[in-house]
């Protein structure tokens, strides 16, 4: 008589792995590493083909701000539609612990050195930076653009439906989870709207030169090193 056995843990709710184990691949040199990650579940032929493809296309990726020249404003630029009856808002400074302030200053200095931001002497709008601790312990610097958002009409552009996106990937053996490296820094704000995006830091009031478009609530201005490629669940 057949006996009923307990289901293996991987079949229980919550027991399925949501990501593959990752294999680090250095796309640079030992002295100047450029790490990215691929699935460790690929067979040797798939792994070699993928690594070869990434190496051939290495000039398409960026590991630092200095490697992102940005798009010409004549091709694309962000614009604000601030209502004429809205008064400018200057948010009050936020107090930070010493270690958090050091992390914020370090990131701000990187953006200044890359010419992504510059000093603004007479701002009309001032938003505050909001340090947020990521899961890996790093400090992520965000900007609180909520007051500026309230002064602009709501964007009703429909977001993609998650169920449809998942269904569309189900027929493929592999797909990419590669993040865009600070992609929002690569499209500049229209010159006439740059002055509205000033933000206050411990180093002073600064203005994005390659300004981010104020999105709902906040926008991350930190670097991202989460680029990796995984096999799909199919």
């Amino acid at each position: 008589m057949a006996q009923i056995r307990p289901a293996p843990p991987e079949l229980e709710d919550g027991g399925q792995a949501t990501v593959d184990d990752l294999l680090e691949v250095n796309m640079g040199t030992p002295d100047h590493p450029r790490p990215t990650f691929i699935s460790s579940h690929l067979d040797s032929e798939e792994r070699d083909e993928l690594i070869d493809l990434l190496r051939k296309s290495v000039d398409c990726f960026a590991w630092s701000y200095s490697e992102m020249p940005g798009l010409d404003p004549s091709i694309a630029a962000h614009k604000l539609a601030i209502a004429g009856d809205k008064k400018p808002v200057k948010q009050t400074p936020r107090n930070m612990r010493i270690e958090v302030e050091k992390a914020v200053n370090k990131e701000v200095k990187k953006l200044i050195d890359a010419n992504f931001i510059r000093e603004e002497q007479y701002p009309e709008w001032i938003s505050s930076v909001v340090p947020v601790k990521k899961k890996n312990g790093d400090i992520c610097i965000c900007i609180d653009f909520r007051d500026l958002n309230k002064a602009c009409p709501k964007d009703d552009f429909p977001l993609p439906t998650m169920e449809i996106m998942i269904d569309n990937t189900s027929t493929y053996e592999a797909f990419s989870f590669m993040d865009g490296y600070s992609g929002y820094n690569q499209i500049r704000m229209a010159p006439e709207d740059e002055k509205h995006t000033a933000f206050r830091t411990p180093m002073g009031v600064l203005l994005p030169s390659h300004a981010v478009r104020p999105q709902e609530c906040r926008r991350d201005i930190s670097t991202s090193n989460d680029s990796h490629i995984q096999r799909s669940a199919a």
Side-chain angles (χ1 to χ4, degrees), residues 35-214:
T36 191
F37 299 87
I38 63 175
S39 172
S40 62
H41 295 180
L42 298 172
D43 61 41
S44 58
E45 182 179 354
E46 289 176 322
R47 182 175 65 250
D48 292 342
E49 288 179 355
L50 180 55
I51 293 176
D52 182 60
L53 174 63
L54 292 174
R55 292 192 186 281
K56 289 180 179 178
S57 307
V58 69
D59 60 333
C60 297
F61 307 113
W63 279 263
S64 67
Y65 291 132
S66 60
E67 297 175 334
M68 297 185 295
L71 292 176
D72 191 306
S74 63
I75 298 175
H78 292 310
K79 295 185 178 182
L80 298 176
I82 300 177
D85 59 342
K86 300 295 183 179
K87 294 183 178 180
V89 176
K90 295 183 178 181
Q91 297 179 0
T92 57
R94 297 174 184 247
N95 295 325
M96 304 179 191
R97 300 194 306 273
I98 296 297
E99 63 272 18
V100 175
E101 182 174 322
K102 289 181 178 179
V104 171
N105 288 340
K106 180 180 179 181
E107 186 64 30
V108 168
K109 189 176 185 303
K110 286 165 57 179
L111 292 167
I112 292 175
D113 292 341
N115 294 323
F116 273 25
I117 56 178
R118 55 184 170 81
E119 183 181 5
E120 174 65 11
Q121 292 185 336
Y122 307 108
E124 297 180 0
W125 292 78
I126 302 180
S127 299
S128 297
V129 295
V130 183
V132 177
K133 193 172 184 179
K134 301 175 70 174
K135 292 182 179 179
N136 60 5
D138 293 341
I139 297 296
C140 170
I141 305 175
C142 304
I143 305 176
D144 186 353
F145 280 130
R146 286 176 292 181
D147 291 318
L148 192 55
N149 286 329
K150 292 176 183 177
C152 299
K154 183 179 179 180
D155 186 354
D156 293 318
F157 185 82
L159 296 176
T161 304
M162 185 59 64
E163 289 80 3
I164 295 178
M165 295 180 66
I166 294 175
D167 288 345
N168 289 340
T169 63
S170 62
T171 57
Y172 293 88
E173 293 184 359
F175 64 96
S176 170
F177 278 93
M178 187 171 289
D179 293 341
Y181 185 94
S182 299
Y184 42 84
N185 280 326
Q186 301 184 50
I187 301 180
R188 304 182 185 185
M189 187 69 73
E192 63 272 18
D193 290 325
E194 282 187 353
K195 60 183 179 182
H196 304 309
T197 60
F199 55 94
R200 192 192 309 273
T201 74
M203 299 179 66
V205 177
L206 303 168
L207 191 68
S209 298
H210 296 181
V212 300
R213 181 178 65 170

Side-chain angles (χ1 to χ4, degrees), residues 12 23 27 92 108 131 183:
E12 298 291 343
L23 174 66
M27 307 301 294
T92 57
V108 168

